[in-house]
Amino acid sequence: MLKTFDLVLIGVMTATATVTYTIKHRAELKVEEVHRLEAEIKLEKDTIDLLKADWALQSQPNRLERLVKAYNEELKLQPTESTALVHAKELPMLKSEVPVPDVTEAKVSAKSATEASAKSATEASAKGAPGTKGAQATAKAQPVPMPAPRGEAEDADQIETGSVEE
C-alpha cells in the first residue's frame, strides 16, 4: 500500500501548496494596498489641483481691487511703499547664525555690568529717580543683531528672495 516515501511526498506537496497559497494571498493583499495608495495619491493630486485653481480665482487682481474698494472704509488699506521692502540679507540673523560669545569675556562682562547696574541702581534709588528697573533690565539684556546696511551701489530693482528657516 502506501509506503513511507509516499507519505513524505504527500506531506511535502501539502506543505508546498500551503506555502504557495500563503505567498499568493500576501501578494494579493499587497496589490490591494498599492491600489489603495495610488487612489489616495490621485485624490491628493486632484485636491492640490483644485486648491491651485481656487487660489488663482481668489487672487485675481480685479477681484482683489473690488474687495479693496468695498472694504476701504473699514480696513483703511494703503499701498505698500517701495521703501518698506527689504532684501533677505538685511533681515536679522537667525539664532543659529549668532556667534557664540567667549565664556571668559562673558563672565568678566557680566560681572562688571552687574556691578555697574547695581551701583547705578543704588545711586538712582538714593536720588529717588524713577525707572531704576529699566536700568537693571538693560544690563541683563542680550545685544540684538542688526541688519546689514543697504549699499548705495545696489540695484534697487532686483529683489532677492531666500529662506529664513532654521
Side-chain angles (χ1 to χ4, degrees), residues 49-119:
D49 290 340
L50 181 65
L51 290 172
K52 283 181 180 178
D54 187 43
W55 177 255
L57 288 173
Q58 295 294 329
S59 62
Q60 287 180 343
N62 58 357
R63 178 184 174 277
L64 294 175
E65 187 176 349
R66 281 186 285 127
L67 289 173
V68 166
K69 287 178 183 175
Y71 296 104
N72 192 27
E73 293 298 318
E74 294 175 34
L75 300 176
K76 297 178 180 140
L77 299 174
Q78 298 295 325
T80 304
E81 296 181 20
S82 62
T83 58
L85 301 176
V86 297
H87 296 285
K89 62 185 171 188
E90 294 175 318
L91 296 173
M93 291 186 287
L94 299 173
K95 288 182 181 179
S96 62
E97 295 175 355
V98 175
V100 179
D102 188 20
V103 177
T104 57
E105 290 179 18
K107 286 181 181 177
V108 171
S109 301
K111 185 177 179 182
S112 62
T114 305
E115 290 172 358
S117 66
K119 184 178 179 182

Side-chain angles (χ1 to χ4, degrees), residues 120-135:
S120 65
T122 307
E123 291 173 1
S125 63
K127 294 179 182 178
T132 57
K133 290 182 182 178

Side-chain angles (χ1 to χ4, degrees), residues 127-149:
K127 294 179 182 178
T132 57
K133 290 182 182 178
Q136 291 173 350
T138 54
K140 295 179 183 177
Q142 296 286 334
V144 177
M146 299 300 292

